[in-house]
Amino acid sequence: MTTPWDDWDHVLKVDPDKELVDGETFEDVCATGTDAIEIGGTTGMTKEKMETVVEACSKYGVPLYQEPSNPAVVIEDDALDGYLIPTVFNAGDSFWVTGAHKEWVRIENGLDWSRTHTEAYIVLNPDSSVAEYTDANCDQSADDVAAYAAVAEKLFGQEIVYIEYSGTFGDPEVVQTAADALEETTLFYGGGIGDYDSAYEMGQHADVVVVGDLLHDEGCDAVRETVEGVKDAHAAD
């Protein structure tokens, strides 16, 4: 089975609760060379904020996906290519494993299942908002992470495993161990990607590198460097 992310190297995550760098526009964001834009954040999310970003990005031809942090902010928009729904495999609060998802299926008019996909998150930075939000147990060895990855693929049929170090650069050996545990599932990595070199390094281990805070902190030129870094890493494989 083929998926859109089979051919992705880079995803740019736009947080609707954060501003762009002064003078930059969503046209600039869409011109960074990223393969897809994922719209979502951990806190401060509303439907209105989500809709504003979708509308602003929809005219530039870059695939758009919503990653809703809770069922209340799911929006219906034909401009979206789909929905990427997180399920946090090492969450201490079961709400983020299946509880939120039970509520997602109850939203008005239901989910568009043909465009809905899940991401098996493994959260590894205990100081991150997402770790606090989900009560994630981040004290995981490389073997633990590999085991979670295998469970996600083999027992739960997940198409994406997402190693999330949000806010800090992760351990490449841990990411590689997860990669080695997977056969067909696509490995996403997010956390601490700030320049060409960090994107290149993690691009040697992950199928897709996700960049988020950099857009809001440093701007589109910095993001463009990370696109080049991960694409160069994959071209060198």
Side-chain angles (χ1 to χ4, degrees), residues 183-196:
E183 294 182 5
E184 302 294 333
T185 292
T186 299
L187 182 64
F188 282 32
Y189 169 84
I193 302 296
D195 53 22
Y196 177 95

Side-chain angles (χ1 to χ4, degrees), residues 46-147:
T46 66
K47 279 189 175 183
E48 292 74 20
K49 291 175 183 177
M50 292 281 192
E51 288 166 348
T52 296
V53 176
V54 171
E55 182 178 357
C57 294
S58 62
K59 54 190 87 166
Y60 301 110
V62 179
L64 299 178
Y65 287 79
Q66 186 188 16
E67 186 187 62
S69 56
N70 66 75
V73 301
V74 175
I75 63 172
E76 295 181 46
D77 195 313
D78 290 340
L80 288 170
D81 290 81
Y83 303 89
L84 296 173
I85 308 295
T87 178
V88 181
F89 269 54
N90 60 324
D93 183 349
S94 63
F95 182 77
W96 299 108
V97 182
T98 57
H101 311 75
K102 174 173 65 70
E103 301 309 318
W104 265 309
V105 302
R106 293 172 169 172
I107 63 175
E108 186 176 359
N109 300 322
L111 287 173
D112 181 349
W113 292 110
S114 67
R115 296 191 295 157
T116 300
H117 313 274
T118 52
E119 306 165 293
Y121 265 72
I122 306 168
V123 176
L124 295 175
N125 178 11
D127 297 322
S128 64
S129 295
V130 65
E132 181 178 355
Y133 202 51
T134 63
D135 192 26
N137 177 5
C138 301
D139 185 18
Q140 307 291 335
S141 69
D143 285 345
D144 291 332
V145 173

Side-chain angles (χ1 to χ4, degrees), residues 20-34:
L20 298 180
V21 168
D22 284 349
E24 295 191 341
T25 67
F26 283 105
E27 182 177 6
D28 299 323
V29 170
C30 293
T32 55
T34 190

Side-chain angles (χ1 to χ4, degrees), residues 195-216:
D195 53 22
Y196 177 95
D197 290 340
S198 56
Y200 187 96
E201 181 170 7
M202 232 20 120
Q204 294 177 298
H205 309 286
D207 298 311
V208 177
V209 170
V210 181
V211 173
D213 289 343
L214 186 67
L215 171 68
H216 302 285

Side-chain angles (χ1 to χ4, degrees), residues 11-25:
V11 168
L12 182 56
K13 185 177 286 190
V14 178
D15 187 333
D17 197 42
K18 296 179 180 179
E19 300 291 331
L20 298 180
V21 168
D22 284 349
E24 295 191 341
T25 67

